[in-house]
Amino acid sequence: MKFYTNKMLSNSSKYALKAVMYLALHTEENNKMMVKDISERINVPKAYIAKLLQELAKRKIISSAKGPKGGFYSSPSNKNRTIMEVIEVIDGKKKMESCVLGLEDCNEQHPCPIHSLIGPLKSKMIDLLDSKTINDLAQDLALNKVFLPI
Amino acid sequence: MKFYTNKMLSNSSKYALKAVMYLALHTEENNKMMVKDISERINVPKAYIAKLLQELAKRKIISSAKGPKGGFYSSPSNKNRTIMEVIEVIDGKKKMESCVLGLEDCNEQHPCPIHSLIGPLKSKMIDLLDSKTINDLAQDLALNKVFLPI
DNA sequence: AAAAAAACATGATATTAATCATATAAAGGA
DNA sequence: TCCTTTATATGATTAATATCATGTTTTTTT
């Protein structure tokens, strides 16, 4: 058995986050980018990222325009969506919320051992992802505080 | 799309942890338990948990004995293994360690936005899982500080 | 209008993880 | 020693996720 990737997020939501970040940094309403180019820049297969971009656009995490000169872009209001919203659009809600052991009857008042151990940290993670907007991270990137090593 | 379980751990390692905890609480060398009974108690399909128990026994996370009066049990030295070791036996190493976005070139010195955001909390989680032994959690269970709502 | 360029919608295939099944080997009791 | 009991080894099947492919619709340009 060999696993080398962290599974807190699905591949799909990882790709989605990369694309969303990339668009937030490099596009705007009069500077759109086509699937083909996005795919190359963020290094994700075209057909795969296309599907995700469509879903993200439908849910207003990014914007899109059809036809010549069309493409995807990130509007100011798009950038106000949170990181958790990006994840939820792709992976669905509750994914990160349930008990780490998947136990139905585990909760704060009646916690399983693992819950008691890492529950508080998990809550903090969720709070962070809930409070940070795409724009927040884009700013960090613009200031070279972090990088997008695609 | 619908996902209701937290995927930080695979189903397999969740089941393994349940079994390990159960055995730590309810068995010892002269009080073994058969697959069939373990399966019923922790509510995991027999054939599935059997395979996991075999792997755990091979890697000395639990103990086993064949033949009549045989079964699985948890010895004192088994109980000194850490929670992370249980996870690693089943899910493989590094699973929890890599970048949340799965980016090759992301690290402490050159972090991606998400890494920078939740990396410290993830490190704390890993430290906890590394430092807690099966015995530690079994004690918490014995003292009714936590529960095993199987 | 008509043609071309793009996203949109839908579904097919491939890969991986989860689940199940069974034949083999070891241990203990008659 | 032989039969029963139990874990062990191995592999088959099913389900979920990831990946790819293609026809349809909308928009712009000529």
Side-chain angles (χ1 to χ4, degrees), chain A residues 4-146:
Chain A
Y4 289 89
T5 52
N6 187 309
K7 294 292 181 72
M8 290 176 60
L9 301 177
S10 67
N11 270 5
S12 292
S13 57
K14 287 176 198 169
Y15 293 166
L17 282 169
K18 284 211 280 185
V20 164
M21 283 295 128
Y22 195 86
L23 291 173
L25 280 181
H26 298 293
T27 66
E28 55 182 320
E29 183 159 9
N30 46 34
N31 181 27
K32 310 185 182 73
M33 187 175 270
M34 293 188 298
V35 171
K36 181 175 168 297
D37 295 321
I38 298 170
S39 154
E40 285 171 4
R41 303 295 179 81
I42 69 174
N43 203 30
V44 175
K46 179 165 169 283
Y48 195 175
I49 197 65
K51 204 170 197 170
L52 298 175
L53 290 168
Q54 286 165 25
E55 189 70 22
L56 291 167
K58 192 193 291 180
R59 302 288 293 276
K60 304 277 192 357
I61 303 283
I62 58 177
S63 301
S64 65
K66 289 180 176 179
K69 296 285 177 193
F72 294 93
Y73 64 97
S74 183
S75 73
S77 86
N78 291 148
K79 294 196 180 85
N80 279 328
R81 306 298 296 271
T82 70
I83 301 305
M84 185 58 96
E85 287 179 307
V86 179
I87 295 170
E88 284 178 356
V89 161
I90 304 298
D91 282 353
K93 213 170 164 64
K94 282 200 178 179
K95 181 173 191 174
M96 305 199 70
E97 290 172 15
S98 56
C99 167
V100 175
L101 284 191
L103 302 172
E104 273 296 329
D105 301 333
C106 173
N107 55 52
E108 296 306 321
Q109 284 69 45
H110 193 258
C112 75
I114 306 292
H115 194 103
S116 154
L117 197 57
I118 72 176
L121 292 175
K122 193 159 65 89
S123 299
K124 280 187 193 166
M125 270 192 193
I126 292 171
D127 289 348
L128 274 179
L129 296 173
D130 267 332
S131 64
K132 283 282 175 178
T133 64
I134 294 165
N135 196 46
D136 291 336
L137 295 195
Q139 305 240 302
D140 289 349
L141 281 164
L143 295 171
N144 281 316
K145 292 170 66 180
V146 294

Side-chain angles (χ1 to χ4, degrees), chain B residues 96-108:
Chain B
M96 303 199 70
E97 290 173 14
S98 57
C99 167
V100 175
L101 285 191
L103 303 173
E104 274 296 330
D105 301 332
C106 172
N107 54 53
E108 296 306 320

